[in-house]
Amino acid sequence: MRPSNSSTASWLAAAVFAAVMTIGGGLVAAQSVPDSENGRYSMTPIPEGVLRLDTRTGTVSTCSRNGAGWACYAVPDERTALDAEIGRLQAEVEKLKGQIAAGPTVSGKIDEALPKSDPLKKEPKVAEGDRKIEIPLPSDQDVDRVMSFLEKAWRRLIDMANRVQKDVSGKI
């Protein structure tokens, strides 16, 4: 055996170091992608084409073949839309709570008495047992008008039935 000289040993050590780094770098790159992940996208067949999941962003798309090739369109994210609507409603509720806490603001308020024909006039509170319900009854004239209307309608109905009976008996 020949004694090794220092330049040959350093050259051999450098070559071994480079080989280890090359192999080690490949292993590090291979380990950066999990074994369960075959790439960025996960594809699932569906009747219309393919459902594509972007494993990095979580975006779901439907891909289908058209005349020019494959086209992918993002599926609307309902959760995002629902979260946005919930946030808007919560902000509106907080705004309304703030308005209620600030007190009622009535515009156009007057201190004058309301006319008697006004339905918004507040009646003085009466004890439960003292309440009286008054139902206005129709006058005799109103009853006569209703009876006259019903008599005319009945006569027309009878006349119509008689005409129909004559038409049917004449055709038989």
Side-chain angles (χ1 to χ4, degrees), residues 24-35:
L27 290 175
V28 170
Q31 289 177 350
S32 66
V33 177
D35 293 332

Side-chain angles (χ1 to χ4, degrees), residues 138-147:
S139 66
D140 288 337
Q141 184 182 9
D142 293 336
V143 173
D144 289 341
R145 285 180 51 209
V146 170
M147 290 302 293

Side-chain angles (χ1 to χ4, degrees), residues 129-165:
D130 294 341
R131 288 188 180 182
K132 293 181 181 177
I133 299 175
E134 294 182 22
I135 300 175
L137 297 175
S139 66
D140 288 337
Q141 184 182 9
D142 293 336
V143 173
D144 289 341
R145 285 180 51 209
V146 170
M147 290 302 293
S148 174
F149 170 78
L150 289 175
E151 286 176 24
K152 287 179 185 176
W154 181 253
R155 284 190 187 123
R156 287 183 181 175
L157 182 62
I158 296 298
D159 289 342
M160 193 179 352
N162 287 336
R163 277 184 277 154
V164 169
Q165 187 177 12

Side-chain angles (χ1 to χ4, degrees), residues 16-82:
V16 170
F17 179 75
V20 168
M21 289 305 291
T22 303
I23 293 170
L27 290 175
V28 170
Q31 289 177 350
S32 66
V33 177
D35 293 332
S36 64
E37 186 176 6
N38 293 331
R40 179 172 179 177
Y41 298 104
S42 171
M43 306 287 199
T44 305
I46 58 172
E48 296 84 27
V50 177
L51 191 65
R52 180 182 75 176
L53 170 65
D54 187 338
T55 58
R56 292 184 190 159
T57 64
T59 305
V60 178
S61 304
T62 55
C63 301
S64 59
R65 173 172 268 172
N66 58 20
W70 284 88
C72 295
Y73 300 99
V75 175
D77 188 6
E78 291 180 17
R79 182 66 189 175
T80 304
L82 290 174

Side-chain angles (χ1 to χ4, degrees), residues 84-98:
E85 181 65 11
I86 289 169
R88 184 190 70 77
L89 291 173
Q90 286 174 339
E92 186 176 343
V93 165
E94 291 302 318
K95 177 184 168 188
L96 292 173
K97 282 182 179 178

